[in-house]
Amino acid sequence: MEIKIGVQHAPREIVLESGQSAEEVERAVADALAGKAQLLSLMDEKGRKVLIPSDRLAYVEIGEAAARRVGFGAL
């Protein structure tokens, strides 16, 4: 699933593909915004961990994974 994270005072958003479910990501974001965690911690598909200070979160967009197209086909 594709996750886009906006960070305050940063010109670009963070985009990552994660194997976590939408419910897991939503729970992690809710815990970070509620003050239960100081960092939003997410894992991407390659096993890298992304840590963002919860007080710097601007927005989080949770979307479906896009199918990757290969080759020269008609759209």
Side-chain angles (χ1 to χ4, degrees):
M1 127 175 357
E2 183 180 65
I3 303 169
K4 294 181 183 178
I5 304 167
V7 181
Q8 294 177 6
H9 309 294
R12 296 191 312 172
E13 62 189 9
I14 298 170
V15 180
L16 64 118
E17 289 287 331
S18 178
Q20 295 175 298
S21 69
E23 291 80 21
E24 290 173 331
V25 173
E26 187 175 353
R27 190 176 320 115
V29 171
D31 288 347
L33 293 177
K36 295 179 183 176
Q38 292 182 353
L39 294 172
L40 171 61
S41 174
L42 299 173
M43 185 80 67
D44 74 356
E45 287 184 339
K46 296 181 181 179
R48 297 178 292 199
K49 190 175 266 193
V50 178
L51 302 171
I52 300 149
S54 58
D55 61 341
R56 297 289 182 223
L57 287 174
Y59 64 89
V60 177
E61 181 180 317
I62 303 170
E64 292 296 320
R68 297 178 191 255
R69 295 187 178 127
V70 179
F72 298 99
L75 298 176

